[in-house]
Amino acid sequence: MDTPVDLAVADLHPAVDDPALNSMNFLNEVAQHWPDAVSLAAGRPYEQFFDDDAPRRWLERFRRHLVEDQGQSPAQARRTLFQYGRTKGIVHHLIAQNLAVDEGMQVDPEAVVVTVGCQEAMFLVLQALRAGPRDVLLAVAPTYVGLTGAARLVDLPVRPVAGGPTGVDLADLAEQARRARGEGLRPRACYVMPDFANPSGVSIGLDDRRRLLELAAEQELLLIEDNPYGLFPAGDQDRLPTLKALDTRRRVIYLGSFAKTVLPGARVGYLVADQRVAGVDGTVGLLADQLAKIKSMVTVNTSALAQAMIGGALLEHDGSLVSANLRERAAYARNLRHLLAGLERRFPPPSLATWTTPGGGFFVVLSVPFRVDDALLRRSAERYGVLWTPMAHFYDDATPVGALRLSVSAVTPDQIDLGLDRLAALVADELDHMPAPAR
Ligand SMILES: Cc1ncc(COP(=O)(O)O)c(C=O)c1O
């Protein structure tokens, strides 16, 4: 019997049928369909760290802050927490303090917009930068799919810039900007993740950070710096300064997330946009205020209760998420080392499998000499009981990719061992079935 239909997808915004927007759903569906498979796919925080009592405590801590530090009456504090609120948020001052304490960044609290996750921050920035059909975005590839999907929704084409082993190929960035201009297009910004990138795991060195800022100024590009993993180095090395900390010319729009450092369920992130924007009437304001206008039409304001929890967590640790995450950092570092050692044992040289060796973060990329696609992931889940993420999801074209992303954040070392045993069996079987090389 024919199923009656009311609408055709062809009559909806083209983005809804785009691979970038199907990507997250597909990966979630696979995980739900094979719940017993070991998941080296999810980049989620480790759930044993969740604490039932913490959100209540954080809420109360923030409420006290409103009364004791900000001089609000109990009724005003109740309004701040329960009522519609300031579009740019109510924990902006604590975020500015956090960035000063942990990153040495001096940020005007007025340049902060608190968003519904970092995902909303990306959307607001891209929507604002898409002024017309000539505008394009450059993005270091492989690229976080949430960025590509958001760009689709605002009709902003994304042009890849090679990431390579150093995190960004600066010559290619200059070339892509030049080429876009040669085509009559206007490259507005380059999206980049300098610290333990998702998905590559690669970080950009200090000299290249400085050169990237120089190049952005030369090319009149903004840099959109996304930094959800910077607090999780695997060794004792000093963390590198963020691009924003090195930015003396207001080239960088900084994106932050509290999903990995406080609580993903709160769905709170933020952006720092201190760029000065000239109005048609000659007045000059902050880009943050223009972005807040867009936010007012997307989510009105970020949940005050959710912000209050994040604010309470920040207050509890005197503004430092570094000190709030000592246990998490140690566990993720241990897992990353465990995964890298496990890969070495299972794929000893000379092996056809190679992998990245990140200095921190959640992700490692394993490259293999066969195509890694969604069909292989399904087979891996069904027959081998292990989940991972095909790297093809992080490239914005249909070129076959022979690589997969492994995540260490949501598992134990034992689960990593089991997952790697299963993955090694899959890789061995795939290599067995590869056609013999032509003579
Ligand atoms: C690179 C990157 N940016 C942004 C996000 C989204 O962060 P949020 O959960 O705060 O929306 C993620 C989430 O995994 C991410 O990996």
Side-chain angles (χ1 to χ4, degrees):
M1 198 175 67
D2 285 346
T3 313
V5 296
D6 302 310
L7 287 171
V9 79
D11 292 327
L12 303 177
H13 190 286
V16 299
D17 208 26
D18 190 276
L21 274 85
N22 285 319
S23 189
M24 300 250 195
N25 283 345
F26 168 77
L27 297 169
N28 285 335
E29 269 165 33
V30 173
Q32 277 165 15
H33 205 265
W34 283 281
D36 295 331
V38 175
S39 180
L40 300 175
R44 299 169 162 210
Y46 186 53
E47 294 185 4
Q48 301 300 319
F49 291 144
F50 292 163
D51 172 359
D52 288 336
D53 297 327
R56 224 168 297 137
R57 195 177 69 235
W58 290 333
L59 260 179
E60 177 52 22
R61 181 72 188 79
F62 185 73
R63 198 196 63 79
R64 275 205 345 262
H65 166 70
L66 293 176
V67 173
E68 293 169 11
D69 304 335
Q70 296 205 336
Q72 296 191 12
S73 68
Q76 282 170 325
R78 192 175 310 119
R79 184 176 308 127
T80 303
L81 292 177
F82 294 174
Q83 201 36 293
Y84 286 104
R86 180 177 177 273
T87 309
K88 289 200 288 185
I90 56 171
V91 294
H92 50 308
H93 56 298
L94 296 175
I95 290 173
Q97 182 201 17
N98 164 244
L99 291 173
V101 170
D102 283 342
E103 307 292 350
M105 280 158 62
Q106 300 310 318
V107 162
D108 175 1
E110 285 301 321
V112 174
V113 181
V114 189
T115 52
V116 181
C118 176
Q119 185 66 33
E120 189 195 19
M122 290 192 282
F123 181 85
L124 299 179
V125 172
L126 299 188
Q127 178 73 82
L129 292 179
R130 203 283 186 190
R134 288 174 50 234
D135 292 324
V136 293
L137 177 75
L138 305 177
V140 172
T143 312
Y144 175 58
V145 69
L147 184 278
T148 313
R152 286 289 186 285
L153 283 173
V154 302
D155 301 311
L156 184 64
V158 180
R159 298 194 146 207
V161 170
T166 56
V168 59
D169 180 334
L170 295 169
D172 192 50
L173 172 54
E175 171 59 18
Q176 295 304 331
R178 195 191 58 74
R179 201 178 289 173
R181 288 202 180 94
E183 292 171 34
L185 302 171
R186 190 164 66 145
R188 304 300 312 268
C190 180
Y191 172 79
V192 59
M193 222 180 301
D195 293 282
F196 319 129
N198 178 10
S200 71
V202 176
S203 296
I204 299 176
L206 183 57
D207 289 347
D208 274 358
R209 289 178 195 228
R210 294 210 167 95
R211 284 189 208 112
L212 179 56
L213 286 161
E214 288 296 321
L215 186 60
E218 267 164 46
Q219 296 283 339
E220 293 183 34
L221 286 171
L222 291 167
L223 296 171
I224 303 172
E225 177 178 29
D226 190 3
N227 188 17
Y229 304 101
L231 291 199
F232 303 114
D236 297 330
Q237 76 273 27
D238 284 342
R239 290 184 305 117
L240 290 178
T242 64
L243 288 177
K244 190 67 189 159
L246 298 169
D247 178 27
T248 52
R249 287 182 271 197
R250 297 190 299 276
R251 280 279 146 205
V252 180
I253 300 173
Y254 185 83
L255 310 182
S257 169
F258 295 108
K260 322 293 171 180
T261 51
V262 183
L263 193 67
R267 300 297 306 128
V268 179
Y270 63 93
L271 60 87
V272 180
D274 58 359
Q275 289 70 25
R276 293 185 193 151
V277 179
V280 279
D281 57 359
T283 55
V284 176
L286 288 171
L287 177 59
D289 289 307
Q290 305 300 328
L291 298 176
K293 288 187 207 165
I294 303 175
K295 178 175 173 65
S296 75
M297 291 296 151
V298 181
T299 54
V300 183
N301 62 250
T302 301
S303 156
L305 292 169
Q307 290 186 70
M309 287 184 222
I310 301 300
L314 287 168
L315 288 160
E316 202 169 273
H317 293 92
D318 296 324
S320 176
L321 291 177
V322 169
S323 70
N325 279 279
L326 294 177
R327 185 183 54 161
E328 285 77 359
R329 174 176 166 180
Y332 297 143
R334 175 204 61 199
N335 281 4
L336 187 59
R337 284 194 295 271
H338 197 80
L339 182 91
L340 291 169
L343 286 168
E344 255 168 51
R345 267 202 310 284
R346 287 163 184 90
F347 302 105
S351 168
L352 293 172
T354 56
W355 55 91
T356 54
T357 307
F362 289 7
F363 308 110
V364 170
V365 175
L366 180 71
S367 296
V368 287
F370 50 82
R371 183 174 185 162
V372 176
D373 56 13
D374 291 352
L376 185 65
L377 172 59
R378 276 208 187 88
R379 211 156 60 240
S380 176
E382 190 176 349
R383 296 199 199 149
Y384 297 84
V386 61
L387 304 177
W388 32 265
T389 307
M391 282 293 288
H393 286 263
F394 303 103
Y395 291 97
D396 199 17
D397 60 23
T399 312
V401 180
L404 54 94
R405 188 194 73 177
L406 300 172
S407 171
V408 300
S409 59
V411 279
T412 61
D414 285 349
Q415 287 170 318
I416 291 175
D417 282 333
L418 188 58
L420 284 184
D421 284 343
R422 294 173 177 185
L423 180 64
L426 167 77
V427 171
D429 290 349
E430 287 301 305
L431 290 175
D432 275 353
H433 292 115
M434 267 173 59
R439 293 236 181 137

Short mmCIF file of all heavy atoms in Angstrom, two decimals, residues 59 63 71 136 155 157 311 321:
data_model
loop_
_atom_site.label_atom_id
_atom_site.label_comp_id
_atom_site.label_asym_id
_atom_site.label_seq_id
_atom_site.Cartn_x
_atom_site.Cartn_y
_atom_site.Cartn_z
N LEU A 59 23.71 25.63 41.01
CA LEU A 59 22.62 26.61 40.93
C LEU A 59 22.61 27.50 42.16
O LEU A 59 22.50 28.73 42.07
CB LEU A 59 21.27 25.87 40.86
CG LEU A 59 20.60 25.72 39.51
CD1 LEU A 59 19.29 24.94 39.66
CD2 LEU A 59 20.32 27.09 38.91
N ARG A 63 23.23 31.50 42.56
CA ARG A 63 22.21 32.37 43.16
C ARG A 63 22.83 33.21 44.27
O ARG A 63 22.59 34.42 44.38
CB ARG A 63 21.05 31.52 43.71
CG ARG A 63 19.75 32.28 43.95
CD ARG A 63 18.78 31.50 44.83
NE ARG A 63 19.36 31.28 46.15
CZ ARG A 63 19.41 32.18 47.11
NH1 ARG A 63 18.87 33.38 46.92
NH2 ARG A 63 19.98 31.92 48.27
N GLY A 71 24.85 42.07 44.55
CA GLY A 71 23.94 42.94 45.30
C GLY A 71 22.48 42.85 44.86
O GLY A 71 21.69 43.76 45.13
N VAL A 136 32.16 33.23 0.91
CA VAL A 136 32.50 31.83 1.16
C VAL A 136 33.30 31.73 2.45
O VAL A 136 33.91 32.72 2.90
CB VAL A 136 33.32 31.19 0.01
CG1 VAL A 136 32.50 31.08 -1.27
CG2 VAL A 136 34.63 31.94 -0.23
N ASP A 155 23.47 28.82 3.75
CA ASP A 155 23.85 28.94 2.33
C ASP A 155 25.22 29.57 2.15
O ASP A 155 25.43 30.41 1.27
CB ASP A 155 22.79 29.76 1.56
CG ASP A 155 21.42 29.11 1.64
OD1 ASP A 155 21.34 27.91 1.37
OD2 ASP A 155 20.44 29.81 1.99
N PRO A 157 28.94 28.62 1.20
CA PRO A 157 29.81 27.53 0.72
C PRO A 157 31.08 27.42 1.55
O PRO A 157 31.63 28.43 1.99
CB PRO A 157 30.14 27.94 -0.73
CG PRO A 157 29.07 28.92 -1.10
CD PRO A 157 28.69 29.63 0.16
N GLY A 311 27.76 28.83 35.64
CA GLY A 311 28.31 29.91 36.46
C GLY A 311 28.71 29.41 37.83
O GLY A 311 29.79 29.74 38.34
N LEU A 321 38.68 26.27 34.95
CA LEU A 321 38.24 24.94 34.50
C LEU A 321 39.44 23.99 34.41
O LEU A 321 39.25 22.78 34.35
CB LEU A 321 37.54 25.05 33.15
CG LEU A 321 36.18 25.76 33.22
CD1 LEU A 321 35.57 25.89 31.84
CD2 LEU A 321 35.22 25.04 34.16
#
